């Protein structure tokens, strides 16, 4: 029996055994909140997951959403148990390290920080364990169906066999989400994701977006798909015109994109091996003082090299300049860079809970040298999307067959 199942079952027995001798609050906390077939989800698990998601600044971190997620995890766990799959200690450690790396932390370092904030190590391990074993189950069950054709890779890269490409017409919304406004922003983002028209999405952009396109209703001009961040390409290709992506959590903000149109072109497609950019950090976030400082800085610089003169005599960490493959650039920065030409600037992003404004300048792009690397990345992304499709289908079947009771 997995740790998740042990935790839920042990908590339920604890309530029965303790009876009147246990404080009412504790009884409520460890009482079964949901029965999923023969397994239990407790109030303790719900509170732990809520705390975990809140620390991650994840969108949609509400009690109802967490309950639905934990029900799905019980169903995944039951399918994994039925298949006889178990995670090894090495697999668990690798999964924890991989997840922690997204926050630039080591696995044990993340465990320590979670524990300091009241999230038990076991809660984190359970979250990782079911994710890893479920993925193993899907791969084992559907692995033979994951062969990706060359035509599919061409389409994902925005190219065709005659060197043509794909371009997209997209609208954007990036909503600042400092910690004290996180829940409110997540609720707004969920509403925007259900937008039924370009006009409705644009109205939301004018009201909430922090980008330079807000006055245009978030509307961007035609862009080559290959210029967009790798993580965004498959999301847009999966949309029909008029549809909106699910909210995308980025540092101190939430992003959404609406596909307005898509078309094939005969233009050559250029892939990039590296993108060079500079970030200069200004105090004040998106306050009027912060934006005024960014405007004054913009008037002083034309290229990235000019920022060194501005930063002279200031703390070293105020200016960062990097050259990275597109897939390694932080998601929010990659989104902004896709809209810039060399020497252009974005001030849509913040750090430090909204207290620091990011003055982002594109320095230049280096064309790809090894095209096969890009094709391998595209094939991996397509396999990931296919795996997710099969996983969602299996979970829907499990849920339809399940007995779910709220005591």
């Amino acid at each position: 029996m997995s740790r998740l199942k042990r935790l839920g079952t042990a908590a339920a027995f604890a309530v029965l055994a303790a009876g009147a001798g246990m404080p009412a609050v504790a009884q409520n906390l460890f009482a079964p909140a949901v029965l999923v077939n023969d397994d239990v989800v407790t109030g303790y698990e719900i509170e732990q997951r809520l705390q975990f998601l809140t620390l991650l600044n994840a969108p949609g971190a509400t009690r109802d959403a967490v309950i639905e997620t934990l029900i799905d995890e019980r169903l995944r766990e039951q399918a994994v148990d039925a298949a006889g799959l178990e995670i090894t200690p090495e697999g668990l450690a690798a999964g924890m390290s991989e997840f922690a790396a997204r926050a630039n932390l080591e696995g044990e370092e993340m465990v320590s920080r979670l524990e300091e904030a009241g999230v038990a190590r076991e809660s984190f391990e359970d979250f990782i364990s079911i994710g890893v074993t479920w993925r193993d189950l899907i791969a084992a069950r559907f692995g033979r169906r994951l062969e990706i054709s060359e035509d599919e890779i061409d389409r994902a890269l925005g190219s065709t066999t005659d060197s043509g490409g794909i371009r997209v017409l997209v609208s954007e919304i990036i909503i600042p989400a400092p910690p004290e406004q996180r829940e409110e922003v997540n609720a707004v983002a969920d509403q925007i994701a259900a937008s039924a028209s370009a006009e409705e999405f644009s109205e939301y952009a004018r009201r909430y977006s922090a980008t330079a396109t807000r006055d245009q209703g978030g509307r961007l001009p035609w862009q080559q798909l290959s210029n967009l961040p790798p993580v965004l390409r498959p999301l847009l290709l999966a949309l029909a015109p008029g549809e909106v992506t699910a909210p995308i959590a980025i540092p101190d903000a939430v992003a959404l994109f609406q596909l307005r149109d898509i078309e094939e072109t005969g233009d050559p497609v250029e892939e990039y091996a590296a993108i060079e950019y500079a970030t200069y950090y200004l105090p004040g976030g998106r306050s009027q003082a912060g934006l005024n400082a960014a405007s004054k800085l913009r008037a002083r610089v034309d290229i990235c090299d000019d920022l060194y003169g501005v930063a002279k005599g200031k703390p070293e960490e105020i200016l960062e300049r990097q050259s990275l493959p597109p897939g390694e650039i932080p998601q929010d920065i990659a989104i902004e860079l896709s809209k810039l030409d060399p020497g252009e600037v974005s001030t849509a992003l913040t750090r430090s809970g909204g207290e620091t404004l990011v003055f982002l300048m594109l320095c230049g792009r280096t064309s790809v040298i090894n095209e096969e690397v890009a094709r391998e990345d595209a094939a991996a992304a397509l396999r990931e999307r296919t795996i997710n499709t099969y996983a969602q289908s299996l979970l829907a079947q499990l849920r339809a067959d399940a007995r779910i009771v709220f005591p």
Side-chain angles (χ1 to χ4, degrees), residues 6-30:
R6 289 200 304 272
L7 180 60
T9 305
F13 278 121
V15 174
L16 295 175
M22 192 175 199
V25 173
Q27 288 190 38
N28 291 337
L29 185 62
F30 288 101

Side-chain angles (χ1 to χ4, degrees), residues 275-282 297 301-311 317-324 329-330 333-334 336-337 340-347 349 351 357-365:
I275 297 177
E276 186 178 8
Y277 63 94
T279 48
Y280 191 96
Y281 299 105
L282 295 166
L297 177 58
V301 297
D302 295 313
I303 59 174
C304 291
D305 289 347
D306 295 339
L307 290 169
Y308 290 112
V310 178
E317 60 270 16
I318 200 171
L319 173 63
E320 294 179 352
R321 185 167 177 171
Q322 301 185 76
S323 180
L324 297 172
I329 297 173
I333 289 178
E336 290 303 300
L337 291 175
L340 304 179
D341 290 326
E344 291 185 338
V345 168
S346 164
T347 56
L349 306 178
R351 292 292 187 266
L357 183 66
V358 179
F359 185 93
L360 174 66
M361 176 176 274
L362 175 63
C363 307
R365 297 183 174 95

Side-chain angles (χ1 to χ4, degrees), residues 127-269:
F127 171 78
I128 296 298
S129 178
I130 191 58
V132 172
T133 52
W134 173 252
R135 186 177 180 85
D136 289 345
L137 174 64
I138 297 301
R141 182 171 293 191
F142 301 109
R144 295 181 180 178
R145 307 183 196 179
L146 300 180
E147 294 299 324
I148 306 299
S149 70
E150 293 300 314
D151 286 344
E152 289 176 299
I153 296 174
D154 287 336
R155 287 194 295 271
L157 286 171
S159 63
T160 62
T161 54
D162 61 359
S163 298
I166 292 177
R167 66 175 189 165
V168 291
L169 202 56
V170 174
S171 294
E172 63 171 359
I173 295 177
I174 296 181
I175 311 175
E180 67 274 10
Q181 298 177 11
R182 186 184 306 122
E183 290 188 10
E184 179 184 350
V185 170
N186 289 338
V188 169
D190 289 338
Q191 292 177 7
I192 296 173
S195 296
S197 68
E199 291 74 19
E200 184 179 10
F201 189 89
S202 290
E203 182 58 31
Y204 279 123
R206 294 186 185 96
R207 290 173 60 188
Y208 297 110
S209 187
T211 67
T213 60
R214 63 176 297 164
D215 292 337
Q216 291 77 48
R219 291 181 172 90
L220 292 164
W222 283 102
Q223 292 177 283
Q224 288 293 335
L225 187 68
S226 59
N227 285 349
L228 296 174
V231 70
L232 193 55
R233 298 177 200 172
L235 298 180
L236 293 175
L237 286 174
L239 300 178
E243 292 183 339
V244 180
T245 64
I248 302 170
I250 57 179
D252 295 338
V254 175
L256 301 100
F257 298 88
Q258 182 182 55
L259 179 67
R260 304 196 328 262
D261 202 356
I262 184 170
E263 67 177 24
E264 295 186 15
T265 73
D267 299 331
V269 173

Side-chain angles (χ1 to χ4, degrees), residues 12-198:
F13 278 121
V15 174
L16 295 175
M22 192 175 199
V25 173
Q27 288 190 38
N28 291 337
L29 185 62
F30 288 101
V34 190
L35 299 176
V36 185
N37 294 322
D38 295 326
D39 290 333
V40 171
V41 175
T42 68
Y44 172 76
E45 293 173 87
I46 295 169
E47 295 304 321
Q48 284 280 289
R49 184 60 59 86
L50 271 172
Q51 179 72 356
F52 179 47
L53 294 179
T54 300
L55 290 171
L56 296 179
N57 194 22
T62 65
R63 182 178 178 84
D64 288 344
V66 165
I67 290 173
E68 292 301 310
T69 298
L70 289 173
I71 291 172
D72 288 345
E73 289 186 6
R74 282 295 186 277
L75 294 171
R76 292 187 183 105
E77 181 191 15
Q78 291 164 8
V80 166
D81 287 348
L85 296 177
E86 294 183 0
I87 193 168
T88 65
E90 295 78 14
L92 178 60
M96 292 169 64
S97 296
E98 180 183 351
F99 188 88
R102 301 175 191 175
N104 297 319
L105 298 173
E106 298 293 334
E108 289 302 319
E109 184 181 4
M110 186 164 198
V111 169
S112 297
R113 295 198 181 186
L114 289 173
E115 289 180 330
E116 289 172 2
V119 178
R121 180 190 188 96
E122 290 77 10
S123 297
F124 181 46
E125 290 180 345
D126 292 339
F127 171 78
I128 296 298
S129 178
I130 191 58
V132 172
T133 52
W134 173 252
R135 186 177 180 85
D136 289 345
L137 174 64
I138 297 301
R141 182 171 293 191
F142 301 109
R144 295 181 180 178
R145 307 183 196 179
L146 300 180
E147 294 299 324
I148 306 299
S149 70
E150 293 300 314
D151 286 344
E152 289 176 299
I153 296 174
D154 287 336
R155 287 194 295 271
L157 286 171
S159 63
T160 62
T161 54
D162 61 359
S163 298
I166 292 177
R167 66 175 189 165
V168 291
L169 202 56
V170 174
S171 294
E172 63 171 359
I173 295 177
I174 296 181
I175 311 175
E180 67 274 10
Q181 298 177 11
R182 186 184 306 122
E183 290 188 10
E184 179 184 350
V185 170
N186 289 338
V188 169
D190 289 338
Q191 292 177 7
I192 296 173
S195 296
S197 68

